Amino acid sequence: ALSSDAGSEDPGATPSADLEDLLGELEGLSLAKWESGNRGFSIHRLVQEIARARLPDQTRGPALLAAVELINAALPSDPPPSDVRAWPVWDPLRPHIEHLIHAADDAGIANPTARILNDLGQYLEAKGLLREAEPLMRRALAIDETSFGSEHPEVAIRLNNLASLLQ
């Protein structure tokens, strides 16, 4: 909704320019903040909650699925999350991923939530945060068992990752 409203004011403006203008306005009100190097931004929690609350019910599920798919696509598989070279991507996304996977799990979005749960668990395991990693890996295993059955290769992968963590 934000980009279409902004685009209607100046048909020649690019979507990124519109977004930058809107973010600039939010920053002026202390409701958004550009991160270092303008590579990203953070939005005040109040703005996030208002945006979520104003989202029509029929749009929530598809929007949540789209967000999960975007995060899934943004997360590197090479190097894997347990590799320190992947951590510059995982570190800033972690709080967003945690919030998103809990919302997606509550909404019953199985795929790709299981993969994201598993990968976040591997990332946390590599950082030595074993207590935080275990419930994520167990939940990924449960989702895949429900989705694919206990004999599926994805279930074997999840079991192997959980066993490695517990070892």
Side-chain angles (χ1 to χ4, degrees), residues 22-86:
L22 291 169
L23 288 172
E25 289 180 34
L26 289 174
E27 185 177 34
L29 298 169
S30 297
L31 298 174
K33 178 182 174 193
W34 284 104
E35 301 297 331
S36 62
N38 287 351
R39 291 183 26 173
F41 57 90
S42 58
I43 301 289
H44 193 282
R45 288 183 187 158
L46 178 61
V47 175
Q48 293 176 31
E49 286 302 318
I50 290 170
R52 276 197 274 303
R54 297 181 99 191
L55 197 61
D57 289 339
Q58 67 271 20
T59 314
R60 285 176 202 237
L64 183 57
L65 179 59
V68 171
E69 289 172 347
L70 283 169
I71 286 290
N72 186 49
L75 294 173
S77 57
D78 185 30
S82 58
D83 189 320
V84 69
R85 293 173 295 166

